Amino acid sequence: DVRSFARAASTMLPELAKDYVRKMVIRAGSGAKVMLVDAETKQYLSTVYSQSEVLKQEVFLVETIENEQVDKLLHMKAVCFLRPSYSSLRALCRHLRDPKFGEYHLFYTNTVRDSYLQDIAQADEQELVKQIHEYYADYMVLDSHLFSIPSGSFEGVGGGGRSASSSSAEVSSFLCAPYTDRQNILSDVDRAVEAIAALLLSLKVRKPSIRYQRSSDVAFQISESLYRLTYCQGDGLFATERGSIEPLVLILDRTSDPVTPLL
């Protein structure tokens, strides 16, 4: 995994992550609920909530959205906590065409493309989707100031799935080769950028000042993509009040770390 440190004046990542999940459940309203997750959000949920804490939120079942064998429980509401990937889109559309639950409340961990929303609207012929929200939780919380970005083993936004063996090889190549062809690591770079952007949005900070390790091609590619996303493509999302502290995003390459091998 690509690991990064996140520091904010008064926000701790575990509390922020719990608050996101709590808001999802509250927005779905009272009554029995099932939480539908994908492979990545399931891991996210397990790091911030225990099973007993989930039950206290009137969530009586946590199920992967890809599971087609789930029983029909039309009296329950489905709180869908998903990454905006095409695999979760396909699984959601299958649910909407052959519904297992009475209502679907959609919460995505990052920004959702217009084409994605159009596909959902076409599949939702019975008008079961009650709301769609973007909650920027596209990273794994490990500690108060530490998060991890799943890389390679999960499907990125708009990307295709990969086997575990090939994923391990790709992640190793991504982390260990300072100079490599951009096309070979494009999906991992995009995944890292999506997670860093989600972190900045969840902490509600202004556009960052980006610095990177000059000798690393990977660090340069991540920095370039992050700059393009925050200053060009997502200009409205990162607009904040004047006078707010400008965060510094410092991107370093672990292959040039002189300390860790000595520990």
Side-chain angles (χ1 to χ4, degrees):
D1 291 348
V2 178
R3 289 191 168 93
S4 305
F5 283 95
R7 300 196 178 276
S10 59
T11 304
M12 298 297 182
L13 293 183
E15 287 75 11
L16 182 62
K18 279 192 171 184
D19 188 53
Y20 272 150
V21 177
R22 190 182 305 113
K23 286 179 178 178
M24 294 176 200
V25 177
I26 292 175
R27 279 183 176 272
S30 59
K33 291 177 276 290
V34 56
M35 182 165 284
L36 296 180
V37 295
D38 55 35
E40 191 168 326
T41 56
K42 181 180 180 180
Q43 183 181 356
Y44 179 97
L45 182 64
S46 66
T47 61
V48 298
Y49 264 102
S50 66
Q51 186 175 0
S52 59
E53 288 176 320
V54 171
L55 287 172
K56 290 178 182 179
Q57 306 292 326
E58 292 186 302
V59 177
F60 297 102
L61 177 66
V62 177
E63 187 62 76
T64 57
I65 195 166
E66 292 87 359
N67 183 9
E68 299 182 21
Q69 307 302 319
V70 64
D71 295 331
K72 285 197 174 187
L73 301 169
L74 297 178
H75 63 287
M76 298 184 72
K77 301 176 181 179
V79 179
C80 303
F81 179 32
L82 308 168
R83 285 204 78 234
S85 63
Y86 283 123
S87 62
S88 67
L89 172 62
R90 291 191 296 269
L92 175 62
C93 288
R94 286 196 298 268
H95 266 268
L96 295 177
R97 295 188 182 102
D98 181 21
K100 313 292 185 184
F101 308 102
E103 296 180 2
Y104 287 80
H105 303 261
L106 310 183
F107 301 91
Y108 287 101
T109 63
N110 217 316
T111 54
V112 183
R113 297 175 181 175
D114 290 341
S115 60
Y116 195 109
L117 296 176
Q118 291 172 2
D119 290 341
I120 293 175
Q122 291 177 358
D124 188 25
E125 295 179 352
Q126 302 183 47
E127 299 184 355
L128 299 176
V129 175
K130 302 304 178 182
Q131 56 184 321
I132 301 177
H133 296 279
E134 295 172 348
Y135 280 11
Y136 302 104
D138 208 9
Y139 48 87
M140 296 297 159
V141 176
L142 300 181
D143 204 344
S144 297
H145 301 295
L146 179 66
F147 72 95
S148 175
I149 306 170
S151 179
S153 58
F154 294 105
E155 178 183 354
V157 176
R162 288 172 286 183
S163 66
S165 59
S166 63
S167 298
S168 300
E170 289 175 18
V171 173
S172 176
S173 173
F174 171 62
L175 294 177
C176 298
Y179 298 99
T180 185
D181 182 68
R182 178 176 175 82
Q183 293 301 318
N184 293 337
I185 61 169
L186 187 59
S187 61
D188 288 320
V189 167
D190 288 344
R191 181 67 187 90
V193 170
E194 290 161 5
I196 296 171
L199 176 72
L200 294 172
L201 289 169
S202 63
L203 294 176
K204 298 180 180 179
V205 296
R206 61 180 296 181
K207 295 177 181 178
S209 176
I210 304 170
R211 300 290 183 268
Y212 66 92
Q213 182 177 322
R214 185 177 181 180
S215 61
S216 170
D217 187 51
V218 170
F220 166 73
Q221 290 177 31
I222 292 176
S223 302
E224 180 186 44
S225 297
L226 182 62
Y227 176 85
R228 195 163 54 245
L229 176 60
T230 55
Y231 283 85
C232 303
Q233 300 170 6
D235 187 61
L237 286 173
F238 289 91
T240 57
E241 297 179 2
R242 291 183 179 180
S244 61
I245 299 174
E246 181 181 61
L248 171 65
V249 176
L250 179 62
I251 300 174
L252 303 175
D253 194 327
R254 291 293 299 273
T255 61
S256 301
D257 180 3
V259 178
T260 301
L262 303 177
L263 297 178

